[in-house]
Amino acid sequence: MRRRLMPSAPKRAMTRRHTGIEADGLRIQVNGDPREVYATTVTELVEELALDPRKVAVERNLEIVPRSLHAVTALAEGDRIELVQFVGGG
């Protein structure tokens, strides 16, 4: 069973479909839930999930990914991603 990340398809997925390029997403786990995503890097994943990159910490396969490496850290089939979003308030 497939579950969508958001009510509408991510822009990247729509672009691929409209250009005629067949592209299946990667099957990864995000916070323990299986998901199919079109992101290829940590930065793209954060964008696809509509999270604020300034307020998110990312762990990939039990290793923390420094924010400075999000754009160059590639995702692979079967990766286990843990995301923590920081929120303000009291």
Side-chain angles (χ1 to χ4, degrees):
M1 181 166 108
R2 291 185 181 188
R3 293 185 346 194
R4 296 180 86 173
L5 296 175
M6 300 178 292
S8 61
K11 284 185 180 179
R12 216 171 340 281
M14 289 174 56
T15 301
R16 289 179 181 175
R17 286 189 197 117
H18 289 139
T19 59
I21 299 171
E22 286 295 321
D24 290 333
L26 290 173
R27 286 179 290 278
I28 64 174
Q29 283 192 12
V30 178
N31 292 347
D33 294 325
R35 294 190 185 261
E36 185 171 345
V37 298
Y38 292 92
T40 59
T41 66
V42 169
T43 295
E44 290 176 3
L45 177 64
V46 170
E47 290 172 359
E48 188 171 316
L49 297 174
L51 299 173
D52 184 345
R54 298 168 299 163
K55 296 180 180 179
V56 108
V58 180
E59 183 181 275
R60 178 180 171 259
N61 300 326
L62 303 177
E63 292 185 22
I64 294 175
V65 180
R67 186 171 293 125
S68 62
L69 298 178
H70 285 188
V72 296
T73 302
L75 299 176
E77 189 80 18
D79 274 353
R80 293 179 153 204
I81 305 295
E82 294 292 326
L83 299 171
V84 176
Q85 187 170 13
F86 302 104
V87 292

